[in-house]
Amino acid sequence: MSFEESWPTAIDNRTNSVRRSDSSGFDQQTGIYHSLLQLGDDFQIPTRHDLDTSKYVLSQFPHPDHAESRVALIDSATNHQVTYAQLQRSIRAVASGLYHGLGVRKGDVVFVLSPNSILYPIICLAIFSIGAILSPANPINTQSEIAKQILDSGAKLVIAAPEELHKVATNGVPTLLTTRMSSDYSLSIEELIECSDTLEFPQVQITQSDIAAILYSSGTTGISKGVILTHSNFIAIMILLKWSVYASSAQNDVFLCFIPMFHIYGLAFFGLGLFCSGITTILMQRFDLQAMLDSIQAHKVNNLPAVPPVILGLVKHASKLRCDLSSLRRVGSGAAPLSKELTEEFRERFPWVELRQGYGLTESCGAATFFVSDEQAKAHPGSCGRLIPTFSAKVADIATGLALPPCREGEIWIKSPTVMKGYLKNEEATAATLASDGWLKTGDLGYFDEDGFLYILDRIKELIKHNGYQVAPAELEAILLNHPQVLDAAVIPLEDEEAGQIPMAYVVRAAGSELSEEQIIQYVAHQVAPYKKVRKVAFISAIPKSAAGKILRKELVSHSQLQKISKM
């Protein structure tokens, strides 16, 4: 059966993958929430032990008869195209070059510092195929931050974009460039692709239990930690991503990628997952709102996996958009909470576009919950969907640890084959996050409703303790963002002698706005209980955020402390 013929068969089979149930999936005897969805026969997780991530992904490529013509990636800036056949040849060439030419062996850590490019997934899959361990980093990190990650991960080789070379040149680790450079640094991934196709492809014994990657968490509330993910974690997430794509997309859909591939969202979805479905992806090196809109129009993009700041940008700048977005059918949101208010405003501005929120962590390979239909998403605004197949969950009372039933708030715990092995060289953090029976304590405050839909309220560590009450910053931020003169906002705890902590807001005003601190305080006060009121406001040009769109509150807390000291 051909690749094109197999697609509708898979779609037809998926209709039996949803259990018809009006319940929440909650088991009163065990206190566990079970997924109301299940994988069909076409999407079972492979049990064979001698399987690695690269081997699995390559096995899902289109049949050779179609691989030469089916486009896998298109560079949005240059329009350079790579077919699935070219992609496969490049992966094998780079793997051979790394193994035979540079001596990279199973278990060696390869540190990757580069923005998105067509070469990025080639590098990742080549590393996986020889049993080496991928450790990617954010190119905007400072030289000292990068040095810490290289040292902590024990990297044996660095692969860097030429413009990032100065950040790794003094670390004493051999460096390979992504693209050619006119200086003495002549060896590059591009040259490996050209010169290594005559080398024998290395045959390395890799198992699903072997370590595949070490991804460093964003560290929004503390020190960044190395998350250990195995090949079995990645293979499980590939199956789930393939299932979700078949459940909600067409085989000829076009996706746009600006999510950075050093982040689990970008790596799992664009660096690996979409290749398992034969999808074409338009690749942006870095995010730019106008460039994103131009790419959607030029390439007739249907699907836009995004993050809340991008959705906020679309909503706030909708009246100024200079593009035809009629091809866009679906926008996904992940990596950070998307408020009910912003969701509703997006639907009002773009009524023809489906908006679905999902939930996951680096520690769970980026997955946990998902909406299988736009009807469900519209019926449950503010939710991030139901548990996807293979996942189960608990809601643990913060004080007692006891499992809670639907509509009761607590810490979300999850369990799945995608859950990490642990944190690198950090037994204390691993023990605090992973229970002995495999439950991952997410640190997120939330609840399941009576239909099994998950609502994330905030990070537990970020809750503001005001006079014994707990205030969720995300709730106040959603209210602030609904103000027509507020472009962006973040709420942090400010130490207070009487109340312990008070909510303080950092606000980005719209151009020309003269919105005052008192006006903002009153705007929020009219919509919340007295203990939740914003007590102080500071205006700022931009809210600091991670590459995945998470607010870097610790930077704002430090800023507020410095401001307080300067006034003393």
Side-chain angles (χ1 to χ4, degrees):
M1 181 179 291
S2 71
F3 177 71
E4 278 75 9
E5 290 171 339
S6 69
W7 186 278
T9 303
I11 290 182
D12 293 340
N13 288 344
R14 76 168 185 247
T15 58
N16 295 320
S17 68
V18 180
R19 290 186 199 150
R20 300 297 177 186
S21 175
D22 297 324
S23 70
S24 64
F26 180 68
D27 186 324
Q28 294 184 357
Q29 292 185 328
T30 63
I32 296 174
Y33 293 83
H34 296 281
S35 175
L36 297 170
L37 305 168
Q38 61 182 4
L39 296 172
D41 293 338
D42 293 335
F43 304 100
Q44 293 305 306
I45 296 175
T47 57
R48 55 178 287 197
H49 194 55
D50 61 332
L51 187 63
D52 64 79
T53 306
S54 184
K55 187 181 294 183
Y56 175 76
V57 173
L58 291 173
S59 73
Q60 301 300 303
F61 274 22
H63 188 275
D65 292 345
H66 306 282
E68 291 288 357
S69 59
R70 182 163 295 281
V71 176
L73 296 166
I74 301 175
D75 187 306
S76 66
T78 65
N79 281 324
H80 176 62
Q81 299 186 3
V82 175
T83 67
Y84 275 89
Q86 291 171 327
L87 188 65
Q88 183 167 19
R89 287 193 291 269
S90 295
I91 292 165
R92 293 177 65 88
V94 172
S96 299
L98 292 175
Y99 187 88
H100 295 295
L102 294 165
V104 178
R105 293 294 183 264
K106 179 180 178 180
D108 287 347
V109 175
V110 180
F111 179 86
V112 178
L113 185 67
S114 171
N116 283 357
S117 76
I118 283 177
L119 294 173
Y120 208 110
I122 293 170
I123 293 168
C124 295
L125 286 163
I127 291 170
F128 291 149
S129 69
I130 57 175
I133 299 169
L134 168 71
S135 187
N138 187 344
I140 70 169
N141 285 356
T142 65
Q143 187 170 348
S144 61
E145 289 172 323
I146 289 166
K148 288 178 183 177
Q149 184 173 333
I150 290 175
L151 180 63
D152 189 64
S153 65
K156 299 292 180 64
L157 175 70
V158 171
I159 299 177
E163 64 269 24
E164 307 299 337
L165 181 60
H166 66 284
K167 295 181 182 179
V168 298
T170 61
N171 287 285
V173 180
T175 300
L176 175 68
L177 295 180
T178 54
T179 55
R180 289 182 181 85
M181 196 171 173
S182 58
S183 68
D184 292 338
Y185 271 90
S186 57
L187 190 58
S188 67
I189 292 294
E190 285 183 333
E191 289 171 293
L192 290 185
I193 292 174
E194 294 173 0
C195 304
S196 299
D197 56 354
T198 58
L199 297 175
E200 181 182 355
F201 184 73
Q203 300 298 319
V204 183
Q205 297 300 314
I206 309 169
T207 68
Q208 288 206 45
S209 59
D210 288 329
I211 298 174
I214 302 170
L215 272 65
Y216 283 75
S217 62
S218 56
T220 53
T221 60
I223 298 173
S224 182
K225 299 182 288 291
V227 177
I228 302 173
L229 299 173
T230 65
H231 287 279
S232 64
N233 293 149
F234 278 116
I235 292 169
I237 198 65
M238 292 305 97
I239 295 287
L240 293 171
L241 285 169
K242 184 177 179 180
W243 168 82
S244 70
V245 168
Y246 276 115
S248 59
S249 303
Q251 187 267 334
N252 61 349
D253 273 4
V254 176
F255 283 70
L256 178 63
C257 170
F258 53 79
I259 304 293
M261 290 189 192
F262 64 79
H263 187 274
I264 189 62
Y265 188 178
L267 176 61
F269 204 96
F270 294 105
L272 303 171
L274 289 184
F275 296 141
C276 296
S277 300
I279 293 290
T280 297
T281 298
I282 313 301
L283 197 60
M284 293 178 62
Q285 186 178 66
R286 292 182 176 86
F287 175 76
D288 176 83
L289 182 61
Q290 189 59 53
M292 178 190 78
L293 301 175
D294 291 342
S295 292
I296 292 172
Q297 177 176 299
H299 297 282
K300 305 301 180 186
V301 170
N302 314 114
N303 286 267
L304 185 70
V307 290
V310 173
I311 294 168
L312 177 64
L314 284 168
V315 168
K316 292 293 184 180
H317 300 285
S319 59
K320 307 172 187 176
L321 300 183
R322 303 188 304 275
C323 281
D324 176 11
L325 302 183
S326 60
S327 67
L328 198 59
R329 293 204 316 268
R330 188 172 299 107
V331 172
S333 181
L338 184 67
S339 70
K340 175 182 176 182
E341 292 79 7
L342 183 54
T343 300
E344 292 175 345
E345 194 168 357
F346 180 90
R347 292 186 187 282
E348 183 178 339
R349 298 285 181 101
F350 307 98
W352 70 93
V353 181
E354 298 178 4
L355 177 61
R356 305 185 193 178
Q357 186 175 186
Y359 168 73
L361 304 89
T362 302
E363 289 86 346
S364 67
C365 268
T369 64
F370 173 72
F371 277 110
V372 297
S373 72
D374 194 48
E375 290 72 22
Q376 285 186 351
K378 287 179 178 177
H380 297 83
S383 169
C384 44
R386 279 174 166 164
L387 290 169
I388 58 179
T390 77
F391 273 84
S392 51
K394 287 182 182 180
V395 179
D397 185 281
I398 295 175
T400 66
L402 296 176
L404 298 173
C407 302
R408 295 279 301 279
E409 298 174 7
E411 182 180 14
I412 305 301
W413 293 15
I414 57 177
K415 182 187 282 190
S416 165
T418 69
V419 167
M420 69 171 183
K421 185 175 182 178
Y423 293 116
L424 181 68
K425 295 184 288 190
N426 197 332
E427 294 181 4
E428 182 179 352
T430 299
T433 306
L434 275 181
S436 58
D437 54 355
W439 287 98
L440 172 65
K441 304 173 185 179
T442 68
D444 289 318
L445 180 71
Y447 67 92
F448 286 91
D449 68 13
E450 293 177 346
D451 294 318
F453 289 90
L454 177 65
Y455 295 78
I456 297 295
L457 305 176
D458 219 322
R459 293 288 294 168
I460 291 172
K461 289 182 180 179
E462 293 178 347
L463 293 177
I464 299 169
K465 314 299 193 301
H466 180 78
N467 282 330
Y469 292 100
Q470 295 188 138
V471 181
E475 179 184 358
L476 299 180
E477 288 158 2
I479 293 172
L480 289 165
L481 289 174
N482 214 31
H483 193 291
Q485 295 181 49
V486 173
L487 289 183
D488 207 353
V491 175
I492 64 166
L494 190 66
E495 298 304 318
D496 182 80
E497 289 185 4
E498 294 183 7
Q501 293 177 332
I502 60 172
M504 174 183 179
Y506 277 88
V507 171
V508 179
R509 288 180 288 202
S513 171
E514 296 182 359
L515 197 62
S516 68
E517 178 180 23
E518 184 58 29
Q519 287 175 314
I520 291 175
I521 289 174
Q522 291 303 317
Y523 176 76
V524 176
H526 290 148
Q527 303 181 63
V528 298
Y531 70 90
K532 295 182 181 180
K533 292 192 299 184
V534 169
R535 312 285 168 153
K536 185 175 177 57
V537 177
F539 296 101
I540 195 170
S541 59
I543 302 297
K545 295 179 181 178
S546 71
K550 294 180 182 178
I551 295 171
L552 299 176
R553 296 187 207 278
K554 62 182 180 181
E555 291 189 15
L556 293 174
V557 170
S558 297
H559 182 273
S560 68
Q561 292 171 344
L562 288 173
Q563 292 293 102
K564 184 177 180 181
I565 292 171
S566 66
K567 293 178 181 179
M568 293 177 64

